[in-house]
């Protein structure tokens, strides 16, 4: 396209124009092409004009940007068209018309109804002229000039209307070929219009052309064939005093942005790194390009950002993080609706800086963030996990949902935490809250792949939301909440789930966290956590429940000399007991001790013991750490020597008091239902074959169904294979069939369980 000598009044500086059209199709980026944003420097802080007086509302659609203002459509009422003056934010409402545009390169609004088109100078507030023309013949407008296809049948001449002393002056554009069809104005700048048209028909090949029309003379000053491919709505064009730019698509090759130097006729072709529509513009000796609507995309693309590329070198510069639409504007500028992490969403003007490098200036803002932002959250300050079925629903409303989001919940007292991926809701017109239903579990002692119930205390939550499209930084937000829950029987770490104590052959005592994950069918046992050594001094260690008012269940330990010691609970899994307290002597008289059932109905668990004569004794708990038991009371006068294991189970069947199970030496298991006064009803046979187990432990409620369960370790070749018998609530058959407990790791040999 040879740049002609013309009477058109060109400014000395470059003129910029961009059109709301784009190109699509697959693209391949050569290794040497510098069009990818991965190589771009971080965008400089965006300059801001005085936009506080003319904020856009979220959802407003900008129709065009002029020299003194912009045209927009209201988000809530699309029949409401506004002209906003940039100087002071003054708003002029335009009459409702079926179609309203802003003429390219101007402050002139085009108001159309089916039979009449009016051009209005928005800066002056006056109508320039009106013409009677069917709107389907509208071909575009540049400045105060209206282009109309004169005839819709066959090849159509192009008329242009311009202001005259007596109204509109009509001229026919000269210099177009006789077979030109589908004429339309695709860009405009500095008293020139860029017209796209086709030549050829059914008998000859159809070809696309671009022509520069001088507005003063209504004459084509230069033209060029411009292979484009794709549909008209997919293509992009730009015009300035120094350059013409357009997009092309070649099947099997991909999309490119092509720039023609009007003085030298040199053509530069920039393959786009990925297929899809693009917006293009010209700013001095730079071309800009971007794929619109990238803010809500699911993939990062080098075309999401508005990129400026030098036409005299290979330098690139990121101007905006994304774009929605672009506009022909006046002078050495063009406009985009889009955003940056620094400036947020709004209307930006692109203009060459003092060094010639384009810069973005924000003119108006919607107040919406470009980067992912937390708008609201719904995390309660306090949650009682005992009254929410062990679950806590949480929600966070983000400014957009095209993110990969993770949430971390941490118990700041124990340090235990969990990090989970959070699925995003289905996309809609407006962002939807991101919901996470916490099941009340954490990673056991920070070990990934293991779970434990959440213990009470102070918690923090933190979300991390990384944009899928790479626009803006990762969102980090945090808050706090408090968990409350009751400490269960055998619950030494206060997480609501029972724990088993086991002593190895070296005298070390270990805590084994037993966890039944909500929604799972099996029960797991986490790796042992060392409590400490020296426990070989005791011949019996027994969990008693909370007999002395401590924060968590307690244990008693008996020396071989008969001295009894109390270890109060702390609720910490890593250090579950305080320093021991001596609470009595002479306890070597007993063959079995078991505690944990409230036998007397006073709300505190009690202790029972069998002596060598077969008598059963009750030690009612007092709640005092220094003297935790009242004087013993005989509640069974004989026959208890037939049992080799007894276990206080809690209230198995909803009776008046806690219960006991006892195993005889033949392996038969018997149930003793508590009456609530410290005594028991006659025994009931509930099963046989229990001799396989090394111990029986009233573990409390493993599966959190409100019914006590029974834990039975079966040690074979030193490796325990524990089983859980889940409670049914029926005294005739108080336990379901045994279920194996999954061990996270093989355990060591143990000689005592409690």
């Amino acid at each position: 396209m040879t740049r002609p000598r013309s009477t058109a009044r060109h400014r000395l500086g470059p003129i910029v124009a961009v059109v709301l059209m784009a190109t699509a199709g697959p693209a391949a980026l050569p290794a040497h092409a510098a069009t990818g944003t991965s190589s771009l420097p971080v965008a400089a802080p965006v300059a801001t004009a005085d936009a506080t007086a003319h904020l856009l509302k979220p959802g407003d659609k900008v129709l065009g940007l002029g020299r003194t203002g912009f045209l927009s459509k209201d988000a809530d009422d699309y029949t409401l068209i506004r002209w906003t003056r940039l100087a002071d934010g003054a708003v002029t409402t335009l009459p409702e018309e079926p179609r309203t545009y802003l003429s390219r390169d101007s402050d002139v609004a085009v108001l159309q109804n089916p039979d009449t088109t009016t051009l209005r100078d928005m800066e002056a507030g006056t109508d320039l002229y009106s013409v009677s023309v069917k709107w389907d013949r509208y071909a575009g407008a540049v400045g105060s000039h209206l282009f109309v296809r004169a005839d819709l049948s066959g090849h159509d001449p192009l008329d242009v209307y311009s202001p005259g002393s007596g109204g509109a002056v009509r001229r026919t554009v000269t210099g177009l070929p006789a077979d030109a069809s589908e004429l339309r104005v695709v860009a405009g700048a500095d008293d020139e219009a860029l017209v796209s048209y086709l030549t050829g028909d059914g008998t000859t090949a159809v070809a696309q052309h671009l022509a520069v029309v001088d507005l003063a003379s209504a004459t084509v000053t230069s033209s060029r064939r411009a292979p484009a491919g794709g549909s008209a709505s997919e293509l992009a064009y730009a015009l300035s005093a120094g350059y013409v730019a357009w997009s092309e698509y070649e099947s099997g090759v991909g999309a490119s942005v092509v720039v023609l130097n009007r003085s030298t006729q040199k053509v530069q072709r920039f393959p786009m790194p990925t297929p899809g529509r693009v917006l293009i513009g010209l700013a001095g000796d730079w071309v800009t390009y971007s794929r619109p609507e990238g803010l809500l995309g699911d993939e990062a693309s080098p075309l999401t950002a508005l990129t400026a590329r030098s036409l005299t070198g290979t330098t690139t510069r990121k101007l905006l993080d994304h774009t929605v639409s672009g506009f022909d504007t006046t002078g050495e500028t063009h406009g985009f609706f889009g955003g940056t992490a620094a400036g947020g969403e709004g209307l930006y003007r692109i203009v060459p800086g003092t060094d010639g490098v384009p810069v973005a200036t924000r003119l108006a803002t919607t107040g919406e963030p470009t980067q992912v932002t937390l708008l609201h959250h719904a995390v309660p300050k306090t949650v009682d996990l005992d009254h929410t079925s062990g679950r806590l629903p949480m929600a966070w409303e983000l400014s957009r949902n095209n993110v990969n989001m993770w949430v971390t919940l941490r118990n700041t007292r124990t340090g235990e935490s969990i990090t989970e991926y959070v699925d995003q809701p289905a996309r809609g017109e407006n962002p939807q809250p991101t919901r996470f239903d916490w099941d009340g579990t954490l990673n056991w002692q920070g070990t990934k792949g293991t779970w434990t119930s959440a213990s009470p205390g102070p918690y923090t939550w933190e979300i991390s939301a990384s944009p899928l499209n790479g626009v803006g930084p990762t969102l980090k937000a945090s808050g706090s909440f408090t968990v409350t829950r009751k400490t269960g029987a055998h619950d030494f770490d206060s997480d609501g789930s029972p724990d088993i104590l086991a002593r190895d052959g070296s005298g070390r005592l270990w805590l084994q966290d037993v966890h039944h994950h909500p929604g799972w069918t099996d029960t797991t046992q986490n790796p042992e956590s060392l409590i400490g050594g020296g426990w070989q001094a005791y011949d019996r260690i027994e969990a008693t429940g909370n007999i002395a008012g401590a924060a968590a269940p307690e244990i008693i330990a008996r020396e071989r000399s008969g001295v009894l010691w109390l270890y109060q609970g702390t609720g910490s899994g890593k250090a579950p007991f305080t320093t021991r307290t001596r609470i009595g002597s002479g306890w070597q008289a007993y063959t079995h001790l078991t505690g944990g059932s409230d036998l007397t109905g006073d709300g505190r668990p009690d202790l029972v013991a069998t002596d060598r004569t077969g008598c059963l004794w009750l030690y009612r708990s007092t709640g005092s750490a220094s003297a935790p038991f009242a004087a013993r009371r005989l509640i069974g006068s004989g026959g208890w020597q037939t049992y080799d294991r007894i276990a206080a189970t809690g209230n198995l069947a909803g009776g008046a008091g806690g219960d006991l199970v006892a195993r005889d030496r033949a392996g038969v298991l018997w149930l003793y239902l508590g009456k609530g006064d410290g005594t028991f009803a006659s025994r009931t046979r509930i099963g046989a074959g229990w001799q396989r187990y090394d111990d029986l432990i009233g573990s409390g409620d493993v599966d959190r169904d409100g019914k006590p369960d029974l834990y039975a370790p079966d040690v074979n070749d030193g490796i325990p294979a524990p089983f859980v018998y889940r409670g049914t609530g029926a005294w005739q058959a108080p336990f379901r069939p045994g279920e194996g407990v999954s061990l996270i790791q093989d355990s060591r040999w143990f000689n005592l369980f409690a």
Side-chain angles (χ1 to χ4, degrees), residues 321 339-344 370-371 471-473:
D321 286 330
T340 70
T370 295
Q371 66 187 50
V471 175

Side-chain angles (χ1 to χ4, degrees), residues 500-558:
I500 301 301
L501 300 178
R503 185 182 65 188
D504 65 23
S506 301
R508 294 176 298 178
L509 192 64
W510 302 81
L511 183 146
Q512 299 179 336
D513 183 78
V514 179
H515 178 66
H516 189 85
H517 198 289
W520 294 7
T521 59
D522 62 343
T523 301
T524 59
Q525 185 165 302
N526 288 313
E528 297 87 357
S529 176
L530 180 64
I531 295 174
W535 292 80
Q536 67 272 22
Y538 304 117
D539 66 356
R540 188 64 191 164
I541 300 170
E542 180 63 30
T544 60
N546 196 324
I547 61 174
E554 298 149 331
I555 62 172
I556 57 172
R558 183 183 67 186

Side-chain angles (χ1 to χ4, degrees), residues 490-506:
H490 253 266
D491 182 14
F492 303 113
D493 56 5
S494 294
D495 62 4
S497 293
D499 307 298
I500 301 301
L501 300 178
R503 185 182 65 188
D504 65 23
S506 301

